[in-house]
Amino acid sequence: MKTLVVLLGPTAVGKTELSLKLAEHLKSPIISADSRQMYSELKIGTASPTPEQLARVKHYFIGTLHLTDYYSAAQYEQDALSEMERLFHNHDKLLMTGGSMMYIDAVTKGIDDIPTVDEDTRQMVKEHFERDGLDALTAELKMLDPDYYQIVDLKNHKRVVHALEICYMTGRTFTSFRKAVIKERPFQIIWIGLQRPREQLFCRIGQRVDQMMKDGLLEEVKSVLPYRELNSLNTVGYKELFKYLDGDWPLDMAVEKIKRNTRIYAKKQMTWFKKNERIKWFHPDDSKAILEYIDNY
């Protein structure tokens, strides 16, 4: 039976280095499930693997898109499964790693069949958003679909708007359409989760952000400034520094906001992952136990 090993965990927990060790042990390439590392222009702010790490193990779905390219979890599902089918000809086990919850779900469960929103509903919600703002929409989402409210990026207006469109059009929660029957896959899945004590993780997040700034994150953000309205840049690390470049925040405040918003995102990731009871949790330093678990599965 072919096997997909899924290594997941919150941002900054230590997935990258461990994924290299696991990939070498399994003699497998790494299939990235990180929606932002796919953009070639976003290397520093997404903590993409370094050239040395990319040379050490073959990676897929790293730096394969440009900011202006449209891409979705549904496309990732098709592309990743197609690549895996090819790779399974020469590998019994493949390793997937990343922190993008919807991308991991797309491969392991399949994308749900969400109804197409009619034009009247789309226009109504658009006018609601333009008139009342994002805060009003998120408050409404909390009332209509509290489960999705808990996991969605509340600053991503497109996702909030789409969820409300579905709620209004169907009279059902958006969440109800995201609980479809899990699609059958021609491989078994071993779930490995990485976690650290909360304070340790938050300390690592702070250190990572400081290192990103030293590595040139501000210069990277300046280089993509003309594309700031794209959804691919509606992400932690970029939107805060746009505020600095606009003159709204001093630099030290923007950096602290990056750390704070990254901590919030890490907590959301863990909330999502904890719903999957099949995940076996380890400390990232316990690589020996992880390897034994995979080998004896």
Side-chain angles (χ1 to χ4, degrees):
M1 182 73 171
K2 299 296 185 179
T3 301
L4 176 66
V5 179
V6 178
L7 178 69
L8 48 75
T11 186
V13 76
K15 293 187 295 293
T16 301
E17 186 55 40
L18 182 60
S19 71
L20 294 167
K21 290 181 182 177
L22 294 188
E24 288 170 338
H25 177 79
L26 298 171
K27 296 180 173 56
S28 165
I30 292 174
I31 300 164
S32 172
D34 189 301
S35 63
R36 292 302 187 255
Q37 289 183 358
M38 297 184 77
Y39 294 102
S40 60
E41 298 91 341
L42 309 183
K43 291 185 174 66
I44 299 172
T46 63
S48 279
T50 65
E52 293 76 21
Q53 290 168 332
L54 293 172
R56 185 171 154 190
V57 173
K58 171 70 174 175
H59 286 66
Y60 291 88
F61 303 104
I62 295 286
T64 53
L65 300 175
H66 292 292
L67 285 174
T68 53
D69 293 336
Y70 173 78
Y71 204 74
S72 67
Q75 287 175 279
Y76 178 76
E77 177 187 10
Q78 293 179 359
D79 293 345
L81 289 174
S82 175
E83 196 66 69
M84 288 163 56
E85 182 180 11
R86 184 184 68 80
L87 291 169
F88 270 135
H89 287 300
N90 298 313
H91 301 273
D92 289 328
K93 289 188 175 77
L94 293 175
L95 176 64
M96 169 176 284
T97 186
S100 294
M101 295 86 82
M102 290 187 71
Y103 276 38
I104 293 170
D105 279 358
V107 168
T108 58
K109 300 178 182 179
I111 291 291
D112 299 296
D113 295 322
I114 307 294
T116 300
V117 178
D118 63 62
E119 191 54 41
D120 288 345
T121 304
R122 192 181 302 279
Q123 188 61 34
M124 179 187 72
V125 179
K126 179 184 178 187
E127 290 173 1
H128 183 13
F129 173 58
E130 292 173 348
R131 182 181 65 248
D132 302 318
L134 182 58
D135 288 346
L137 266 63
T138 56
E140 217 161 318
L141 182 64
K142 185 176 184 179
M143 181 176 63
L144 294 175
D145 191 348
D147 289 337
Y148 190 62
Y149 175 87
Q150 289 297 321
I151 61 172
V152 69
D153 178 358
L154 295 173
K155 300 297 184 185
N156 187 330
H157 75 274
K158 291 184 178 180
R159 289 187 180 169
V160 173
V161 164
H162 184 55
L164 280 177
E165 288 172 343
I166 297 298
C167 291
Y168 291 145
M169 189 182 78
T170 66
R172 291 169 51 184
T173 63
F174 182 61
T175 302
S176 69
F177 289 99
R178 302 178 69 249
K179 293 181 176 177
V181 176
I182 295 174
K183 295 178 184 176
E184 288 291 323
R185 300 303 192 203
F187 48 82
Q188 68 173 348
I189 302 172
I190 300 176
W191 296 89
I192 304 292
L194 302 182
Q195 60 184 352
R196 292 178 183 271
R198 179 187 174 110
E199 290 307 313
Q200 188 181 105
L201 179 65
F202 285 1
C203 181
R204 285 174 61 89
I205 286 172
Q207 292 170 344
R208 172 186 273 191
V209 173
D210 289 338
Q211 188 61 51
M212 285 177 172
M213 292 302 295
K214 290 177 184 176
D215 291 343
L217 177 58
L218 182 56
E219 287 68 31
E220 183 172 271
V221 171
K222 288 177 181 177
S223 72
V224 298
L225 192 58
Y227 307 101
R228 63 183 298 171
E229 298 304 322
L230 296 175
N231 190 50
S232 51
L233 286 169
N234 182 28
T235 191
V236 177
Y238 297 88
K239 53 189 180 182
E240 295 86 356
L241 288 177
F242 288 148
K243 287 276 194 180
Y244 161 68
L245 294 174
D246 289 340
D248 295 338
W249 293 345
L251 184 58
D252 59 347
M253 180 180 176
V255 172
E256 286 306 311
K257 291 280 190 180
I258 295 173
K259 294 177 182 178
R260 174 183 173 274
N261 290 337
T262 305
R263 292 194 297 269
I264 291 171
Y265 180 61
K267 287 189 282 188
K268 283 192 174 183
Q269 288 175 303
M270 287 305 296
T271 298
W272 183 298
F273 296 144
K274 289 292 187 179
K275 293 179 180 179
N276 185 343
E277 297 178 353
R278 297 169 62 195
I279 298 173
K280 177 74 171 177
W281 293 96
F282 295 90
H283 191 283
D285 293 342
D286 206 359
S287 58
K288 182 179 178 182
I290 295 171
L291 291 173
E292 287 178 355
Y293 178 74
I294 293 172
D295 289 343
N296 296 326
Y297 191 85

